[in-house]
C-alpha cells in the first residue's frame, strides 16, 4: 500500500481566520484575569496513534504516518509544543505589546523592537496580532481563494500534497484527526494560492515548513497575506526556476566566519563541507530543523522584524557557537555536514540572535559582496 493517499476535498470546515493553536483557548482567555490575558494555555498531548481511517470522496482510506524524510534525505524534526510559565517581566512585556497595538496608528517600530528583544512576542495570541503588522499588511483586505478545480489543475498540486502529507509531525499532537486533515487541506490551499497568483514563483520543497508555521499561528486568511509578502520579498530568490540565486546567497556565511573565527574558516574550507548543511535552515527559516516549537516561532519573530538576509547571519552565529564540536570531528565533508545538519535542542538562541544582530551591524551584506561574488564564481 502507498504510504500516503490523497485526502478528501479541500476542507472548508474551519473558517479562514481560524487557527488551532491560538483559537482553542479563546474561551478560557475571556475569563482570565488581566495579568493572564497573554498566556497561551494550550496543553497539547500526543495520542500516539499512527494509522487512521478517513472517509473522503475516494471512500474509506487508510492514512498512514509517512516517513519524515524529504527528497534530499533530510529528516524533519518532530516538534514539541511545551511552554514555559511566564515571569512578571514577561507579563509586563505582554502589556507593552498590547499598548503598541492600541496606538493609532499602530506603533510598528515599537513592535519590531519588542519582537527583536529577548523572548520575542511571548505567545501565539500576540503573534497573531503582531506578525501581520510587522509586514505592513491590511488583514481586512481578504481575497477569495481559488476553486478546488483550479487548485487541482496546477502543475505543482500533487507535489504540494505529498509534501504536506510529510509534514504531519509539524502539527500539534493530540488534535482530533478530522481537524488535522482540515489543517492539511488548508496548508495545501494556502501554498497553491500563492503560486497560482504569482505564476513566476516556483514552489520549492521546504516552503510548506514556512507556511505551516504561519497557518498554525494566524490562520489561513492572514497566513496567505504573509506568505504572499514573504514569497515576493524575503524568499523570492528561493522561488526562482533554479537554485542558483539561493546558492549564491549561501556563500555569505564564509566571509562572515572568516572575520570572526579564521581558524574555523580554514578548517571548514579544508574539509570541503560547503554550504549545503545550512540550505534547509535558509529555505525554511529553520522550521524544518528544530524540535522545539517555541524556538521556531521565536526565530520567526526575529526574522519578520529583521533585514531579509538575517537567517544567514543566524547560521553563522550557530556555526561559530558549535566550533568546538566541529574541531572535534574529522576534517572532511561527511563528518562536518553530518554534525551541522542536526541542530541540538539546547542551543542558546537568545544569545545567538544578539550575536547575529551584531554581525549584521559590523559586516552588512554590502561589505562582503565582492567576496561572495568571487566564491560563487569559483564554485
Amino acid at each position: 500500500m502507498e504510504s500516503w493517499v490523497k485526502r478528501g476535498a479541500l476542507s472548508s470546515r474551519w473558517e479562514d481566520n481560524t487557527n488551532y493553536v491560538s483559537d482553542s483557548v479563546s474561551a478560557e482567555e475571556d475569563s482570565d484575569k488581566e495579568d493572564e490575558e497573554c498566556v497561551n494555555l494550550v496543553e497539547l498531548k500526543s495520542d500516539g496513534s499512527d494509522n487512521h481511517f478517513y472517509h473522503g470522496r475516494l471512500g474509506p482510506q487508510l492514512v498512514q504516518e509517512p516517513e519524515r524524510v524529504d527528497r534530499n534525505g533530510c529528516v524533519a524534526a518532530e516538534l514539541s509544543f511545551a511552554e514555559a510559565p511566564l515571569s512578571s517581566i514577561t507579563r509586563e512585556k505582554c502589556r507593552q505589546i498590547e499598548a503598541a497595538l492600541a496606538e493609532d496608528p499602530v506603533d510598528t517600530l515599537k513592535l519590531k523592537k519588542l519582537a527583536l528583544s529577548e523572548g520575542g512576542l511571548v505567545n501565539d495570541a500576540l503573534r497573531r496580532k503582531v506578525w501581520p503588522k510587522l509586514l505592513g499588511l491590511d488583514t481586512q483586505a481578504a481575497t477569495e481563494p481559488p476553486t478546488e478545480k483550479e487548485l487541482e489543475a496546477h502543475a505543482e498540486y500533487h507535489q504540494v500534497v505529498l509534501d504536506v502529507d510529510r509534514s504531519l509531525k509539524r502539527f500539534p499532537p493530540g488534535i482530533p484527526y478530522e481537524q488535522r486533515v482540515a489543517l492539511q487541506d488548508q496548508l495545501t490551499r494556502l501554498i497553491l494560492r500563492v503560486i497560482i497568483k504569482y505564476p513566476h514563483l516556483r514552489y520549492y520543497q521546504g516552503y510548506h515548513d514556512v507556511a505551516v508555521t504561519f497557518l498554525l499561528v494566524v490562520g489561513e486568511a492572514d497566513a496567505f497575506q504573509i506568505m504572499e509578502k514573504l514569497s515576493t520579498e524575503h524568499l523570492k530568490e528561493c522561488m526562482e526556476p533554479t537554485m542558483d540565486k539561493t546558492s549564491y546567497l549561501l556563500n555569505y556565511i564564509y566571509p562572515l566566519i572568516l572575520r570572526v573565527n579564521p581558524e574555523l574558516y580554514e578548517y571548514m574550507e579544508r574539509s570541503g563541507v560547503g554550504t549545503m548543511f545550512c540550505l534547509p535552515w535558509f529555505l525554511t527559516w529553520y522550521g524544518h530543523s528544530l524540535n522545539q516549537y517555541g524556538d521556531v516561532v521565536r526565530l520567526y519573530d526575529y526574522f519578520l522584524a529583521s533585514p531579509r538576509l538575517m537567517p544567514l547571519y543566524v547560521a553563522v552565529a550557530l556555526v561559530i557557537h558549535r566550533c568546538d564540536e566541529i574541531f572535534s570531528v574529522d576534517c572532511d565533508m561527511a563528518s562536518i555536514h553530518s554534525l551541522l545538519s542536526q541542530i541540538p535542542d539546547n542551543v542558546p538562541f537568545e544569545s545567538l540572535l544578539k550575536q547575529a544582530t551584531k554581525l549584521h551591524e559590523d559586516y552588512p551584506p554590502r561589505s562582503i559582496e565582492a567576496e561572495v561574488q568571487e566564491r560563487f564564481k569559483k564554485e
Side-chain angles (χ1 to χ4, degrees):
M1 172 178 274
E2 294 288 332
S3 58
W4 44 67
V5 297
K6 184 176 178 181
R7 297 185 299 280
L10 290 175
S11 173
S12 60
R13 281 172 285 179
W14 288 8
E15 295 296 328
D16 279 352
N17 63 349
T18 304
N19 67 93
Y20 181 79
V21 175
S22 296
D23 284 1
S24 60
V25 296
S26 59
E28 294 176 88
E29 288 178 338
D30 287 342
S31 61
D32 285 343
K33 296 178 181 179
E34 180 179 353
D35 282 350
E36 297 175 341
E37 285 180 350
C38 59
V39 182
N40 190 339
L41 300 175
V42 181
E43 293 184 3
L44 300 163
K45 299 179 181 179
S46 174
D47 60 6
S49 58
D50 293 324
N51 300 325
H52 311 272
F53 280 96
Y54 171 58
H55 191 89
R57 60 184 174 182
L58 301 178
Q61 301 290 337
L62 174 64
V63 181
Q64 295 179 313
E65 299 282 6
E67 292 294 325
R68 294 178 287 111
V69 181
D70 66 22
R71 288 173 291 178
N72 298 318
C74 183
V75 180
E78 181 173 354
L79 284 181
S80 167
F81 287 77
E83 292 188 351
L86 297 185
S87 66
S88 59
I89 295 175
T90 307
R91 293 179 189 278
E92 173 58 29
K93 188 176 190 181
C94 290
R95 284 188 279 270
Q96 291 178 22
I97 294 170
E98 293 285 12
L101 287 166
E103 293 285 339
D104 188 15
V106 170
D107 192 342
T108 306
L109 181 59
K110 179 66 172 178
L111 290 176
K112 286 186 176 182
K113 290 179 179 178
L114 290 165
L116 293 170
S117 65
E118 185 169 348
L121 296 173
V122 184
N123 62 52
D124 285 356
L126 291 173
R127 289 185 177 101
R128 185 177 186 185
K129 300 174 185 178
V130 176
W131 279 0
K133 304 297 183 185
L134 294 177
L135 295 174
L137 301 176
D138 177 9
T139 55
Q140 303 303 314
T143 58
E144 283 294 318
T147 65
E148 184 180 347
K149 184 176 181 180
E150 291 173 312
L151 295 173
E152 294 183 352
H154 194 276
E156 296 284 2
Y157 174 76
H158 293 291
Q159 184 59 56
V160 171
V161 169
L162 288 176
D163 286 347
V164 168
D165 281 337
R166 293 187 182 107
S167 69
L168 293 179
K169 298 299 183 181
R170 312 304 287 177
F171 292 113
I175 64 174
Y177 176 66
E178 293 78 8
Q179 290 181 350
R180 189 172 68 179
V181 170
L183 276 172
Q184 288 179 270
D185 288 343
Q186 288 184 8
L187 180 57
T188 300
R189 182 166 55 227
L190 167 60
I191 293 168
L192 288 166
R193 284 178 70 181
V194 176
I195 57 179
I196 286 173
K197 184 172 180 179
Y198 299 93
H200 66 286
L201 298 179
R202 298 292 184 268
Y203 171 77
Y204 64 86
Q205 192 172 31
Y207 186 80
H208 64 289
D209 287 298
V210 181
V212 71
T213 302
F214 291 113
L215 175 63
L216 289 174
V217 175
V218 304
E220 184 182 352
D222 290 355
F224 168 69
Q225 290 196 43
I226 290 174
M227 291 304 297
E228 181 180 20
K229 179 83 168 180
L230 297 182
S231 300
T232 54
E233 295 184 9
H234 298 65
L235 301 174
K236 63 181 181 180
E237 286 86 0
C238 304
M239 305 192 76
E240 292 280 331
T242 72
M243 293 295 289
D244 287 349
K245 290 185 178 180
T246 301
S247 298
Y248 175 85
L249 292 177
L250 295 180
N251 280 281
Y252 274 91
I253 69 170
Y254 277 97
L256 292 169
I257 294 173
L258 174 61
R259 281 156 173 75
V260 179
N261 192 326
E263 184 181 1
L264 177 62
Y265 168 85
E266 189 277 332
Y267 197 79
M268 293 181 66
E269 282 282 78
R270 184 152 48 90
S271 75
V273 68
T275 59
M276 291 304 294
F277 66 86
C278 66
L279 177 62
W281 303 352
F282 185 62
L283 291 179
T284 71
W285 278 12
Y286 298 79
H288 186 80
S289 305
L290 297 177
N291 295 320
Q292 303 297 324
Y293 175 78
D295 289 340
V296 176
V297 291
R298 172 66 187 104
L299 287 179
Y300 279 41
D301 292 342
Y302 181 81
F303 293 146
L304 289 171
S306 300
R308 66 188 191 91
L309 294 185
M310 197 57 80
L312 296 175
Y313 284 79
V314 172
V316 173
L318 179 56
V319 170
I320 292 171
H321 170 73
R322 303 187 68 191
C323 65
D324 289 343
E325 295 177 71
I326 296 171
F327 288 137
S328 72
V329 301
D330 292 337
C331 185
D332 60 62
M333 179 180 67
S335 298
I336 297 180
H337 180 89
S338 177
L339 173 71
L340 291 176
S341 62
Q342 302 297 320
I343 301 178
D345 288 343
N346 61 348
V347 170
F349 275 111
E350 292 299 340
S351 174
L352 297 188
L353 296 185
K354 292 176 183 177
Q355 294 173 34
T357 299
K358 180 82 164 53
L359 274 173
H360 194 276
E361 292 172 353
D362 293 343
Y363 311 110
R366 65 180 180 276
S367 70
I368 57 175
E369 181 71 25
E371 293 169 69
V372 174
Q373 292 176 355
E374 186 63 28
R375 287 188 62 88
F376 188 67
K377 288 178 183 178
K378 289 180 180 179
E379 285 190 355

